[in-house]
Amino acid sequence: MGKSISIAARDGSGSFSGYLAVPASGHGPGVVIGQEIFGVNANMRSIADSYAEEGYVALVPDLFWRLEPNLELGYSEAEFGQAIGLFQRFDVDKGVDDIAAAMDALRALPEVEERGIGYVGFCLGGKLAYLTAARTDAACSVGYYGMGIEQMLDEAQNIKGRLVLHFAEQDVYCDASARAAIGEVLGKLPKAEIYSYPGVDHAFARPNGMHFDKPAALMAHERSIGALKREIGPDFDLSQLWEDHIHHEFAARDVPATMATMVAQPYVNHIPTMTGGVGQDELARFYRNHFVHGNPPDMKLVPISRTVGALQVVDEFVMCFTHTSEIDWMLPGVPPTGKYVEIPMLGVIRFRGDKLCHEHIYWDQASVLVQIGLLDRAGLPVAGVETAKKLLDESLESNTLMTKWKDSKGR
């Protein structure tokens, strides 16, 4: 989805290339993406594309152009050795100058809406995130597993914008003593955020890499986007976007309109029954044949609470319905019982830019089975409609399933 552009060096020594990715909207805040030691390869271009999906005009400058222009390395042992050699010869000061030139290039683009320019770097680019924060006017700099920052902490006093650094607990390139030194100094800055991810190693956020750790990568990405949004945007009304999606699902029952609210490769996972789908085709099939048109006509959602974050909405609600039709996604293979059901539910809805990316939907399946008569609750620590009733009225009795509760009275 991107293209190559030319960037003029600030020192007048020439120009170098950069990979530019623009949001589908055609505009957005500008973010420079700092490369790993492997050059502007497919992974870096993919990262730029993902930031474009988040709503940013993303530019990955070729920081090795002074050594070996247009380098693209993979991750074999030989290529790793070549990358290390380039890293050892790399002029860090020139690299920061070239990042500043890339920021200039973004500011000159008509697609860029400027409330400030952001920076996100990985590995080599993670180290340069710190120096970019100290030496440029970047509004927000984010670094992943940067190396050697503890040796340059005398520049911390120059940082004006927000700085976010992600470290791996098992990273031999930035060990516990280095992280402690960094935290001691940068922790005093009002707009610095320092995170360490337990049990993971260097490059934990590189998809398909040997150290990739999805939970840590997701958490770090959410923090990165949250920091960027606070400083430079973009601003999306996630609550309203979710409301629009719900309307198409439950009120209009319009599958094409529902799918139009989602990214190109969305997924839905109803956790208790593992129903849903991954990708436009499979998810559209699920919605069309097993969800939107199959729900009982009286199904409704009663909202309880909503939390809106940088990337996601967490909804707490009660779902009410009469089991007058087979509900494939909740009770697959169970004929209608005619029973009325109320269940507390929780939805975790993540967005990428202004499009819904995924839904994780949770509920107590045992409570559903009790209410429709398929599960005998006698002797089991499960409840029926009481779970929904108590969510709405906290004064209802607690601990009714605990046989020893009465024994602790007065103790």
Side-chain angles (χ1 to χ4, degrees), residues 5 8 12 20 93 135 147 149 202 232 273 286 292 376 409:
I5 67 169
L20 181 73
D93 297 328
R135 299 182 187 179
M147 304 164 288
I149 295 173
H202 189 82
I232 65 173
T273 53
F286 169 76
V292 169
D376 183 356
K409 188 174 182 179

Side-chain angles (χ1 to χ4, degrees), residues 64-99:
F64 279 166
W65 72 280
R66 299 173 189 273
L67 300 172
E68 192 169 337
N70 304 313
L71 179 72
E72 290 190 43
L73 295 176
Y75 304 104
S76 69
E77 185 175 347
E79 289 168 304
F80 180 75
Q82 184 181 353
I84 289 294
L86 290 165
F87 174 67
Q88 292 171 342
R89 294 162 51 205
F90 181 70
D91 187 323
V92 170
D93 297 328
K94 291 291 187 183
V96 178
D97 287 344
D98 291 338
I99 289 170

Side-chain angles (χ1 to χ4, degrees), residues 148-194:
I149 295 173
E150 72 279 4
Q151 300 167 15
M152 302 176 289
L153 293 172
D154 58 321
E155 297 194 46
Q157 60 186 350
N158 300 322
I159 296 174
K160 300 291 192 300
R162 184 171 297 278
L163 174 63
V164 180
L165 296 178
H166 303 292
F167 293 108
E169 184 185 63
Q170 304 299 321
D171 194 341
V172 297
Y173 302 115
C174 185
D175 60 19
S177 62
R179 296 195 302 273
I182 293 167
E184 174 67 22
V185 174
L186 298 185
K188 299 173 183 176
L189 300 180
K191 298 177 76 172
E193 303 174 35
I194 314 297

Side-chain angles (χ1 to χ4, degrees), residues 204-284:
F204 68 81
R206 182 196 302 149
N208 303 315
M210 63 184 297
H211 294 148
F212 177 64
D213 187 90
K214 187 173 183 179
L218 287 173
M219 182 65 75
H221 182 68
E222 183 171 358
R223 288 165 169 166
S224 298
I225 296 297
L228 287 167
K229 283 188 173 183
R230 281 196 294 275
E231 302 302 329
I232 65 173
D235 300 316
F236 299 117
D237 187 344
L238 301 186
S239 182
Q240 185 57 53
L241 291 170
W242 174 229
E243 287 289 346
D244 294 342
H245 179 85
I246 293 172
H247 171 78
H248 297 313
E249 275 187 309
F250 292 98
R253 302 202 178 200
D254 185 332
V255 174
T258 299
M259 298 306 301
T261 68
M262 309 184 87
V263 298
Q265 290 297 314
Y267 77 88
V268 168
N269 185 6
H270 297 112
I271 306 298
T273 53
M274 299 181 293
T275 55
V278 179
Q280 281 277 338
D281 292 342
E282 184 179 338
L283 191 52

Side-chain angles (χ1 to χ4, degrees), residues 1-2 19-21 33 39-54 58 60 72 75 122 205-208 221 352:
M1 61 187 293
Y19 176 80
L20 181 73
I33 307 293
V40 185
N41 59 11
N43 176 56
M44 297 311 304
R45 294 193 295 272
S46 175
I47 289 172
D49 291 343
S50 71
Y51 272 80
E53 280 195 285
E54 296 283 7
V60 192
E72 290 190 43
Y75 304 104
F122 301 81
R206 182 196 302 149
N208 303 315
H221 182 68
R352 190 176 300 142

